[in-house]
Amino acid sequence: PPPSPWYEPSSAHRPHDLTEYFEVTHPFHPLCGQRLELLAYRHSWGEERVMYRDAGDRIRALPASWTSVVAPDPYVALSAGRSLFRLDDLVALVGLVRGGPPAGETVGRGRGVK
């Protein structure tokens, strides 16, 4: 049969000594601070995501950047909670408010205009 276009994580549980865990670190996420079993780490929806099972045994995904799987952004770490926004995010927001493309995205067909 042809390969499935959908990723289907294994339903088999790993031995306890091989199980990996991660913590949700995004301060506004309802699962912040919770330790969850890592089922998979995949590129999906344009970003790296971690997959886990929720309390209802359903498979869910979160952006990896919202978890302990990815090292914290240096700016966020150095600001130690004193800054609510990263500079890159604020620059992207200015571009969106002005009606242009998000910062760093090129426009046009291969002209390299930023």
Side-chain angles (χ1 to χ4, degrees), residues 41-113:
Y41 184 90
R42 299 270 186 230
H43 186 83
S44 178
W45 294 91
E47 64 187 342
E48 300 300 316
R49 299 180 74 81
V50 295
M51 300 181 80
Y52 67 97
R53 288 188 194 277
D54 68 8
D57 208 33
R58 292 174 297 219
I59 295 175
R60 302 288 186 173
L62 285 172
S65 62
W66 293 4
T67 71
S68 60
V69 173
V70 176
D73 181 286
Y75 181 83
V76 173
L78 288 173
S79 70
R82 294 183 301 265
S83 178
L84 298 177
F85 306 101
R86 297 177 325 124
L87 179 61
D88 292 344
D89 296 332
L90 292 173
V91 170
L93 178 60
V94 168
L96 289 171
V97 169
R98 289 183 178 164
E105 289 190 13
T106 58
V107 295
R109 294 186 176 250
R111 291 188 284 260
V113 178

